[in-house]
Amino acid sequence: MELEVRHLRALCAIADTGSLHKAARQLGMSQPSLTTQLRRIENALGAELFSRGRTGCRPTPLGRSVLSRARPLVADMAALVTETLAEAARADGPRLRVGSTASRALPGWLRRLRDRFPGTDVGLRVDVSAHALLRELAAGRLDVAFVHEVEGCPLRVPDGLVHRVLVAREPQFVSLAPTHPAAARTVVDLADLARDHWMVDPNVDGEWDGLRRVLATAGIDPPLLHGDYHTAASLISLGEAVAPCQPTSVPREDLAVRPLRGDPLAVRLLLYARPATPLDPLHADLAAAYREAAHRSPPYRAWLHAGGTAAPCLLQDPPVDRDPP
């Protein structure tokens, strides 16, 4: 039998704990397996390395001699692995792993992050579920997560995360066909949409519950459809449905975007990170990108200039003079 580093590591564990049972637990193996391994090591070296007794295991004189040579080798091997991993990480370059629910501020934010952190690999994961992103963040698979929280449906935030509020109350607008009678108005009442099919994505945390609560408060019970946003856009353009949408949405020839009177639907925009992540500069870049996206949307810009309810203070600045990405 040829001695390996794992054998030397086992000898050090037995000496450090003074017990085959404790050493086996430390090494993540069963006590019988460790006992067999020790016996094979001693057979290979031709002598006992530990004396066993009711009080545990103690190194013999030969065992102490072997341990004096084994410990530096084990330490050097651990240092080799640690330093190699660190060097490999440096070779790959620094990374910033960004998670986000859907937002039109994302392109501008990513552009700013790459300008702020040159040489950093800025990765992106978009998910409709804020809860899924927060779990990934807590598990260390993301460094930062930009999420929205539907009003009345608080997020379940894992322990240990820090956050900044981007927008305390962002109103949700409605997307409808340009031929819809309500599209002729600059502001739409929920009652104007009482007979329409409303479409929501059931995978977006809180959206279904939040919409149902708002519609019930308004005393209307329209038919509901479930589907993703791409399907919703197709049905809306055909006049088959209406749907909540972000105020940063830009109208198209086949889609009109209007605010709802009184802003009954709203979300809170939040930036979460793990404590070691520099959150303030990330938040500043996101705020600038969001402001840019907000002023690029004519309905949102008009809403802001009209002093829309709970207008976010960060949007009072003039728009950034920058071409869309």
Side-chain angles (χ1 to χ4, degrees):
M1 171 183 147
E2 185 174 339
L3 286 182
E4 302 174 10
V5 174
R6 63 188 179 93
H7 298 137
L8 302 181
R9 190 177 295 115
L11 295 179
C12 293
I14 296 169
D16 291 341
T17 62
S19 162
L20 284 170
H21 174 70
K22 292 179 181 178
R25 187 166 55 187
Q26 182 183 100
L27 296 167
M29 59 194 303
S30 68
Q31 180 175 334
S33 296
L34 180 58
T35 301
T36 300
Q37 187 176 92
L38 175 59
R39 187 177 300 116
R40 294 182 63 196
I41 294 171
E42 290 177 328
N43 288 339
L45 295 178
E48 283 191 351
L49 301 179
F50 291 90
S51 58
R52 286 79 150 175
R54 287 181 299 176
T55 58
C57 295
R58 295 182 179 276
T60 62
L62 179 60
R64 288 193 292 271
S65 175
V66 171
L67 285 166
S68 67
R69 305 284 297 275
R71 291 188 188 280
L73 294 174
V74 172
D76 286 346
M77 180 57 70
L80 172 64
V81 173
T82 300
E83 292 169 10
T84 301
L85 289 173
E87 187 174 346
R90 287 193 295 272
D92 290 340
R95 292 186 301 162
L96 179 65
R97 297 162 298 178
V98 175
S100 178
T101 50
S103 172
R104 286 167 180 79
L106 274 178
W109 188 32
L110 292 178
R111 184 177 66 244
R112 287 173 169 83
L113 290 177
R114 291 183 177 119
D115 289 344
R116 182 182 290 276
F117 303 110
T120 296
D121 178 17
V122 181
L124 175 65
R125 173 182 170 181
V126 176
D127 198 305
V128 296
S129 172
H131 285 132
L133 292 171
L134 293 176
R135 287 194 297 269
E136 290 292 291
L137 179 62
R141 290 185 285 271
L142 291 174
D143 298 307
V144 62
F146 174 39
V147 299
H148 69 274
E149 178 183 71
V150 176
E151 194 169 67
C153 304
L155 293 172
R156 299 183 300 275
V157 181
D159 294 335
L161 301 182
V162 295
H163 80 281
R164 300 286 185 276
V165 177
L166 179 71
V167 179
R169 192 174 193 271
E170 181 196 64
Q172 298 299 281
F173 288 2
V174 65
S175 180
L176 62 168
T179 55
H180 193 293
R185 304 182 179 91
T186 56
V187 179
V188 176
D189 287 289
L190 280 175
D192 297 332
L193 310 173
R195 296 185 178 181
D196 288 283
H197 286 82
W198 283 75
M199 192 158 197
V200 294
D201 188 340
N203 296 310
V204 178
D205 297 317
E207 182 171 283
W208 159 235
D209 290 334
L211 177 61
R212 183 173 54 182
R213 175 181 54 80
V214 167
L215 293 176
T217 300
I220 61 177
D221 186 23
L224 295 172
L225 303 174
H226 289 171
D228 58 51
Y229 288 126
H230 295 294
T231 304
S234 299
L235 292 177
I236 292 167
S237 65
L238 296 173
E240 294 294 326
V242 299
C245 68
Q246 298 175 18
T248 50
S249 300
V250 177
R252 307 181 334 205
E253 289 185 0
D254 59 344
L255 288 176
V257 175
R258 299 288 184 270
L260 291 166
R261 190 175 306 281
D263 308 318
L265 283 169
V267 302
R268 190 162 65 133
L269 302 182
L270 302 157
L271 185 64
Y272 280 93
R274 290 182 293 149
T277 304
L279 193 53
D280 287 337
L282 303 182
H283 179 268
D285 286 341
L286 179 57
Y290 183 84
R291 180 169 57 247
E292 184 179 88
H295 284 278
R296 198 179 294 142
S297 167
Y300 201 7
R301 189 168 61 243
W303 181 89
L304 292 168
H305 290 167
T309 58
C313 294
L314 64 91
L315 296 177
Q316 301 308 311
D317 295 338
V320 177
D321 184 17
R322 191 191 291 259
D323 292 331

